[in-house]
Amino acid sequence: MDEALKFAVENGIIDLSYIQAKYEMNKREEILKKHKWAISQGKDGYWRTYLPDEEKGRKMIKRKSQKDIENIVIQFIKKQSEEVAAEKKNKKITLENLYEEWIVSKEKHTNSSSYIKRITADWEKYYIPQKNLISKPIIEFTKNELDDWAHEMIKEKELTKKQYYNMSIIIRQSLEYASEKGYIEENPFEKIKINSKMFRKVKKPLPQTQVYLTDEIPKIVYDMLRRFKNNPENTSPLAVLLDFEIGVRIGELVALKLSDISEDWAYIHVQRQAVREYKRIDKDSTKMRFVGFKVVEYTKSDDGDRQVYLTDLARKIIKIVLSVNKYYKHKCEDYIFVKGNQRLSHYTIQSKLYRGCESIGIITKTMHKVRKTYISSLIDSGLNIDEIRRQAGHSDERTTYGNYCFNRMTAPETQAVMEKALRYDELDVDFSVPEVIKSNQILCG
């Protein structure tokens, strides 16, 4: 049959343009049959008919030609049909359907696959078990229903404020997306007000778990130097030591380049980072797998792009690293921390620090704790908090104080400082307690 049609068209037996015109004419007639008012010509030569009107019931329209007025009617009926079809479709869209569409859109608007990975993990953890919620048409969601659900999740999962914010991104942003697409008239979730008293309170962790104490720093420094001397080709111990001096994030540390250093060697420009990269297991799966690290030409935030001061010791460490690279012919683009033709990874540096902590007999502390130590040291120094915030790459000093300010002193050091700060015995004050006679009892100091 296909060959016969092809032969007929090629030999002019069938005129496709005539068939197309006939098809379109029939479609027009089918649509016009749905119009419930007559299309007629008046004595003035104009063609008239009616269209539905919400206020008056109907309104008259007129045009000079029959074709023009039929086109208006056809266009109106087509639009009505599309709206009806869209309404039927919207009634079938569930949160589960919506999530699949929204997450694809979300991926197009971010370069961070780790962010998408976190969202998909939250979907699996918090939403997949909620079958009644995700299988319900979103057009049926009410503010009260979602309000109850949100508070139940906080209570059941004992969520902190941050955990709730991360968890609720999915339903909050996907419903906003649905509103923008016209699937629903408005986002009912944006009207919800959470009772903040329900959030699980997070106690600030003990300082000895968050920073390297004053008596631990010399030990970890000597251990890193020992490891470097035992294997001078590996500069990862020096990377640890440098971070005690500049306090950058580990992703920023491994992405530093020689060209980032200012001409006078006073500052190093932090402007890129190595980030974890994830990809979907397959195109139809919401689950993602880790595929490695990649360097991106941006920092965690706009404030993360910064000039960090290089101390004398920091400059010495970098120069030693560069001499090692030259001697052993390590080269990978312009990166500072390399081995062979590879940039040093997060794991290489982090594992070196883990082994160092184990060797000196303290609890395992990550490279991020080195960053916290750096920031706490600057706070202890009395440097203006705005400058500390800039050096750390924070947008708000509340972040600096709230999450990175810890006491680095040992207990005896802390006690000695408090004794000195609270001493009143040098003042000309009589602290003796006079005898007091009360109820036949003698009270005396």
Side-chain angles (χ1 to χ4, degrees), residues 287-298:
K287 293 185 178 181
M288 305 181 76
R289 61 184 175 86
F290 174 67
V291 294
F293 289 93
K294 70 173 181 178
V295 173
V296 293
E297 295 298 323
Y298 55 84

Side-chain angles (χ1 to χ4, degrees), residues 162-335:
K162 183 177 181 180
Q163 287 173 331
Y164 167 75
Y165 174 80
N166 289 336
M167 180 278 292
S168 64
I169 279 177
I170 293 174
I171 193 165
R172 182 161 25 92
Q173 292 190 7
S174 63
L175 289 179
E176 185 61 32
Y177 171 84
S179 176
E180 292 171 357
K181 296 284 285 186
Y183 301 156
I184 53 178
E185 291 185 4
E186 60 179 356
N187 178 5
F189 202 83
E190 66 182 10
K191 297 179 180 179
I192 292 175
K193 293 183 179 180
I194 298 297
N195 180 2
S196 60
K197 293 181 180 179
M198 292 190 64
F199 292 127
R200 177 170 59 84
K201 305 302 179 187
V202 180
K203 290 183 178 180
K204 193 164 184 176
L206 296 173
Q208 57 265 35
T209 67
Q210 299 301 303
V211 292
Y212 289 83
L213 303 183
T214 53
D215 65 339
E216 295 173 343
I217 293 177
K219 295 177 184 178
I220 200 71
V221 168
Y222 288 136
D223 187 82
M224 291 298 109
L225 288 173
R226 177 183 63 81
R227 291 175 187 278
F228 171 64
K229 289 177 181 178
N230 289 341
N231 184 11
E233 189 176 359
N234 187 341
T235 58
S236 57
L238 297 182
V240 174
L241 297 183
L242 178 63
D243 211 34
F244 273 103
E245 297 297 308
I246 62 176
V248 298
R249 301 174 179 91
I250 188 169
E252 297 168 339
L253 180 67
V254 297
L256 291 175
K257 293 184 177 182
L258 179 59
S259 55
D260 295 327
I261 301 174
S262 62
E263 290 185 7
D264 59 359
W265 276 67
Y267 293 90
I268 189 164
H269 185 189
V270 179
Q271 57 185 320
R272 73 186 70 80
Q273 61 180 331
V275 297
R276 287 177 171 81
E277 188 174 15
Y278 297 87
K279 289 186 178 179
R280 291 180 182 272
I281 295 175
D282 57 64
K283 65 178 183 178
D284 298 321
S285 175
T286 59
K287 293 185 178 181
M288 305 181 76
R289 61 184 175 86
F290 174 67
V291 294
F293 289 93
K294 70 173 181 178
V295 173
V296 293
E297 295 298 323
Y298 55 84
T299 52
K300 187 176 181 181
S301 66
D302 291 341
D303 294 278
D305 191 318
R306 62 201 188 275
Q307 296 284 346
V308 175
Y309 176 69
L310 292 175
T311 62
D312 286 337
L313 182 55
R315 296 169 202 162
K316 290 177 183 177
I317 292 171
I318 293 174
K319 288 175 181 178
I320 293 172
V321 173
L322 296 178
S323 64
V324 169
N325 293 344
K326 183 177 180 180
Y327 181 82
Y328 289 101
K329 298 180 180 180
H330 297 326
K331 181 71 175 177
C332 178
E333 297 182 33
D334 195 24
Y335 293 113

